[in-house]
Amino acid sequence: MKILLTGGSGYVGTCLRRKLGHIYSFINYDIKNNPKDDVRDLARLERAVRGVSGVIHLAAISRPKVAFIDPHTCLTTNIGGTANVLEAVRKKNPKAWVVFSSSREVYGGHTKFPVTEKSLRLPLNAYAVSKVAGEDLMQQYARNYGLRALILRFCGVYTGADDILDRVIPRFIILALKNKPITLEGNGKKKMFDFVYIDDVINGVNKTIGYVKNKPNGFCDDFTLSANNPISLYDLAKLIIKITESRSKIVNIPERSYDVSGFWGSYTKAKKHLGWEPKVNFENGLVKSIKEIIQRIG
């Protein structure tokens, strides 16, 4: 099966290609490899989607922090890029399916947990707004143009080998390994999150492909790949300090206006329809990530 993978050189895309490349023929479409492979270029996407069975759309400005600094680039890339992917499929390959990578950030300011797919979306930052818009575009193109669309919300994906090093878990690990203070924005004891190890996420994407490829025209659904196993950021830092035998101290700094204060979600729907649930125990995943980061940074 030939699949166009936008953002294929990013964190999740790199792992997908490495772990599922023996099953699928991925076409990597990423400006990191070729500056011309920009999802903001509709004409180029129209050529790229020809002949593929489906598209996994990962390409995005993927960090709330980066989106806060440069919201315009975030919005034009994430919303415009998603519109271009859908329009390219509609015009040049309407039989192809599209899987859109969304985020737990769309749920934003929720205070009742676990969140489910029926929960309201309450975006708190430009990145989350762009993902909400992308989800809505997926639904509109399925409803109005008969595309097969599926929305996957990633939740606290982590590892050590390919992760972005200033994301929360790699950042805490690196600081702990260097015995430097671990900083928490706001009250880390009250900020609860769940995290999903990358292998479980890749398994979820694989199951999603098997699910959507046989659906009829006009189909759209959404799944949240979460763990429903929350831990506070304070306890996360303490656990990493314990595993690494670090001398790091935990320091609180002011909260950022665009940060979500907590999230954990239910995977009931994903288990029912995809047969997916997280398999990697969180502490075991942390140990793996620590070993990977030690190898990565030396």
Side-chain angles (χ1 to χ4, degrees):
M1 185 186 300
K2 187 183 295 185
I3 298 173
L4 181 68
L5 186 62
T6 73
S9 294
Y11 166 32
V12 175
T14 297
C15 294
L16 273 174
R17 289 188 293 112
R18 185 173 66 247
K19 295 178 182 293
L20 299 183
H22 64 291
I23 302 175
Y24 308 110
S25 176
F26 289 118
I27 301 171
N28 187 9
Y29 191 95
D30 195 309
I31 59 174
K32 293 186 181 72
N33 292 344
N34 185 346
K36 294 182 179 179
D37 287 343
D38 191 330
V39 291
R40 292 171 292 186
D41 185 339
L42 175 58
R44 190 169 180 84
L45 274 170
E46 288 177 352
R47 294 190 291 271
V49 301
R50 290 173 175 158
V52 302
S53 299
V55 180
I56 299 176
H57 178 39
L58 302 173
I61 302 299
S62 61
R63 305 291 309 287
K65 180 179 179 179
V66 176
F68 177 77
I69 295 169
D70 186 1
H72 182 264
T73 299
C74 170
L75 297 172
T76 54
T77 301
N78 294 10
I79 299 175
T82 302
N84 283 345
V85 167
L86 291 166
E87 186 67 2
V89 171
R90 181 185 75 85
K91 292 171 66 177
K92 302 299 181 181
N93 190 358
K95 293 183 179 180
W97 45 261
V98 180
V99 173
F100 172 62
S101 65
S102 190
S103 167
R104 71 182 183 191
E105 290 281 337
V106 301
Y107 294 119
H110 268 277
T111 57
K112 293 183 178 180
F113 302 101
V115 165
T116 73
E117 286 80 0
K118 293 182 179 180
S119 300
L120 291 174
R121 297 171 302 168
L122 303 170
L124 293 180
N125 51 59
Y127 170 70
V129 167
S130 76
K131 289 299 182 181
V132 168
E135 292 185 4
D136 290 347
L137 285 168
M138 292 282 284
Q139 293 167 356
Q140 291 298 324
Y141 269 76
R143 180 182 301 114
N144 296 322
Y145 303 110
L147 298 190
R148 288 176 291 162
L150 197 136
I151 298 159
L152 271 186
R153 300 185 187 99
F154 297 146
C155 302
V157 185
Y158 74 98
T159 182
D162 301 292
D163 209 335
I164 301 168
L165 293 182
D166 69 342
R167 295 177 74 243
V168 61
I169 286 181
R171 179 166 58 87
F172 282 11
I173 291 172
I174 292 170
L175 291 171
L177 290 172
K178 295 180 178 180
N179 297 306
K180 292 184 176 181
I182 296 177
T183 55
L184 306 180
E185 288 87 5
N187 189 340
K189 292 182 178 180
K190 292 185 177 181
K191 290 191 170 186
M192 306 285 291
F193 292 91
D194 62 0
F195 298 90
V196 182
Y197 189 67
I198 187 65
D199 289 356
D200 283 327
V201 173
I202 300 305
N203 183 40
V205 175
N206 189 30
K207 288 181 178 294
T208 295
I209 295 169
Y211 180 76
V212 72
K213 70 178 183 179
N214 296 318
K215 294 300 179 182
N217 291 345
F219 173 83
C220 186
D221 208 348
D222 62 334
F223 295 98
T224 302
L225 300 184
S226 54
N228 197 14
N229 184 28
I231 184 172
S232 74
L233 294 183
Y234 178 83
D235 287 337
L236 171 63
K238 293 285 286 185
L239 182 57
I240 289 173
I241 288 169
K242 176 184 174 183
I243 295 171
T244 58
E245 300 180 344
S246 173
R247 298 188 301 276
S248 293
K249 304 296 182 182
I250 299 174
V251 178
N252 289 302
I253 62 175
E255 190 169 18
R256 299 180 299 198
S257 64
Y258 54 87
D259 278 341
V260 172
S261 60
F263 175 90
W264 67 93
S266 169
Y267 57 84
T268 300
K269 184 179 178 182
K271 184 176 182 179
K272 178 180 179 181
H273 295 281
L274 302 179
W276 180 89
E277 60 184 319
K279 300 289 187 182
V280 179
N281 170 274
F282 182 57
E283 187 163 345
N284 292 342
L286 276 183
V287 170
K288 289 182 180 181
S289 298
I290 291 166
K291 291 179 179 178
E292 291 166 358
I293 285 179
I294 290 173
Q295 293 177 348
R296 181 174 172 183
I297 68 175

